[in-house]
Amino acid sequence: MHELDRTESVASEAAVLVRVVLPQHRFFTDPLEELAGLAETVGATSVGQLVQRREKPDNRTYLGRGKVAELQTLVAAKDADVILFDNDLSPAQTRNLETATGVKVLDRTELILDVFASRAQTHEARLAVELAQLEYSLPRLKRMWTHLSRMKMGIGMRGPGEKQLEVDRRLVERRIHDLRAELKRIERRKERQVSGRRDHMTVSLVGYTNAGKSTLMNALTSAGVKSEDQLFATLDTRTRRWQLPHWGPVLLSDTVGFIRDLPHKLIASFKATLEEARQADLLLHVADASTAAAYDQISAVYSVLSELGIEAKGALLVLNKVDCLSNRAPLDAILNRYPNAIPISARSGQGLDQLAAAVSAALSRTFRDVDVETGVENGKLMAYLAAHGEILSRRFSGDRVVLHCRLPQKYLGRIEKNDAEVREHYSHERASSSGQPATSEDEDPVIHDDVA
């Protein structure tokens, strides 16, 4: 019986790339282009490709019977070491394909996990990848032990291979439990760290992998973070201070890139890493305007954001790499669908001034003009208002003072309950300049709450 090498890395191996295109799949480019990029990222060499269009996958082998025979011939002719599928396979489908071809078969999820494993640098990233890999491998342990199947015996006579499989299963389950506990501790610590930055406005970069987020961060902050023309060059969040013109300092974070059909277990494992995006005041969704798959990539990012529960958070769409376009037609088409998008080139600096102005305007929308009434002796509250916003004027009346402030909305609920009264500010000048009288809809009710 042929024994397969089930090591996870496919570095330096000759690979045949396979994709089954189903009716719901739309491709503006070569359907294997992204898979080829993933294979290249882990060091595999593509020696052959196979694409089949089907109404639905075959239950046994995903591919049709004729295509399996064609795959056998291709693998033998190219002396391939591994078959990489751009689809997710069941354990049984993977086993049947390996039996038919005699070489290792990795599906899309397993390959993405291998890419992440090769990229993980920090302790947190390594733990997250290991957890996702073990959760993926647990139902597939039996396939990994096929070389011991000859030692199995009948009912009541379990062979040493079966016993070892059960031992390994318990070890994997215990390790998964330990990893989840460790990542939960990291997640709580990360939440505290991010919450500790609430005194600053925060902006987070999100987007498809290799859209140029790290390059943009370097251009805006001179951060010097690693930037490569490869998939998933960044797995760890980095936060730097960005001196926003006509605004002041904000915190800018670079996050892990997303990808089409990103494995759910991987998203869960990287929850702590994505905490920056979850709690950001503003998201900058960076998209590669130079690729024909731009629409699909933008949709994929929105899908992942939705899965993270932050789809409602305000986001600016940033169309990067416009310097790579030979003509404006593709860019104009994207802008026709997303008219508020901001075209830039992080590499050349084109459009960065417009981006900064758009970020300033977006952050300004989170500010409110309010009147805060408190006692003149409440120096703690006055210092709090000055630190987190701008005190525009003061009006004294006996032992009370009314402070006209411009304050981020997220701080409005943190003003001390018994010592202050907060009212939406709506001046006569503002009403007359708009040509509209003040109405009840223009004013918020008085807000009473606690200062942190």
Side-chain angles (χ1 to χ4, degrees), residues 127-140:
L127 291 180
V129 172
E130 183 183 355
L131 174 59
Q133 286 179 320
L134 289 176
E135 289 181 326
Y136 175 85
S137 299
L138 185 59
R140 293 164 171 80

Side-chain angles (χ1 to χ4, degrees), residues 304-325:
V304 175
L305 289 177
S306 177
E307 190 168 342
L308 290 169
I310 55 176
E311 72 279 3
K313 188 178 288 291
L316 291 178
L317 180 59
V318 182
L319 303 177
N320 192 24
K321 304 186 183 182
V322 296
D323 56 317
C324 298
L325 292 169

Side-chain angles (χ1 to χ4, degrees), residues 190 193-195 197 202-206 237-239 251-255 271-283 310 313:
K190 189 75 171 180
Q193 289 174 351
V194 176
S195 297
R197 298 171 185 159
T202 57
V203 179
S204 186
L205 299 172
V206 298
T237 300
R238 298 173 178 85
T239 301
L251 296 181
L252 182 66
S253 297
D254 185 17
T255 60
K271 186 178 179 181
T273 301
L274 294 167
E275 189 63 27
E276 300 281 358
R278 193 189 315 277
Q279 296 200 28
D281 294 297
L282 179 67
L283 297 180
I310 55 176
K313 188 178 288 291

Side-chain angles (χ1 to χ4, degrees), residues 8-203:
E8 293 185 0
S9 177
V10 296
S12 304
E13 292 185 315
V16 171
L17 312 183
V18 181
R19 172 82 197 189
V20 175
V21 180
L22 302 174
Q24 65 267 30
H25 298 154
R26 296 181 303 114
F27 289 98
F28 295 95
T29 58
D30 178 0
L32 287 173
E33 180 180 18
E34 187 170 87
L35 184 65
L38 290 169
E40 181 183 352
T41 299
V42 294
T45 302
S46 174
V47 295
Q49 298 185 353
L50 186 67
V51 176
Q52 182 181 30
R53 297 185 181 274
R54 289 179 61 90
E55 287 298 315
K56 62 179 182 178
D58 182 88
N59 290 332
R60 293 192 68 258
T61 55
Y62 212 92
L63 289 167
R65 184 179 303 176
K67 282 295 180 180
V68 172
E70 186 178 336
L71 182 59
Q72 290 173 319
T73 303
L74 182 59
V75 167
K78 299 295 184 179
D79 195 23
D81 304 302
V82 61
I83 299 170
L84 304 179
F85 263 78
D86 201 25
N87 308 90
D88 283 331
L89 308 177
S90 70
Q93 288 167 336
T94 304
R95 182 177 64 250
N96 292 335
L97 285 166
E98 288 181 339
T99 301
T101 60
V103 298
K104 179 172 55 178
V105 176
L106 274 66
D107 67 5
R108 179 180 175 83
T109 292
E110 196 167 4
L111 180 59
I112 290 175
L113 291 175
D114 194 42
V115 172
F116 270 63
S118 69
R119 291 293 190 181
Q121 299 293 325
T122 66
H123 177 63
E124 177 188 336
R126 291 192 186 102
L127 291 180
V129 172
E130 183 183 355
L131 174 59
Q133 286 179 320
L134 289 176
E135 289 181 326
Y136 175 85
S137 299
L138 185 59
R140 293 164 171 80
L141 280 179
K142 199 165 187 177
R143 169 167 62 95
M144 299 177 183
W145 276 97
T146 52
H147 63 287
L148 292 177
S149 60
R150 291 168 298 185
M151 305 174 72
K152 286 191 284 186
M153 303 175 70
I155 297 175
M157 297 290 291
R158 290 154 59 97
E162 188 70 14
K163 291 179 182 177
Q164 185 62 51
L165 176 61
E166 291 304 315
V167 170
D168 283 1
R169 191 186 302 277
R170 287 195 295 272
L171 289 173
V172 170
E173 289 173 343
R174 187 180 307 161
R175 179 60 176 162
I176 286 175
H177 177 270
D178 292 343
L179 287 170
R180 283 176 178 166
E182 177 66 17
L183 284 170
K184 194 67 179 177
R185 286 192 290 270
I186 292 175
E187 183 182 334
R188 288 195 295 266
R189 185 174 71 241
K190 189 75 171 180
E191 287 175 354
R192 291 194 297 270
Q193 289 174 351
V194 176
S195 297
R197 298 171 185 159
R198 63 189 176 197
D199 290 347
H200 299 84
M201 300 299 284
T202 57
V203 179

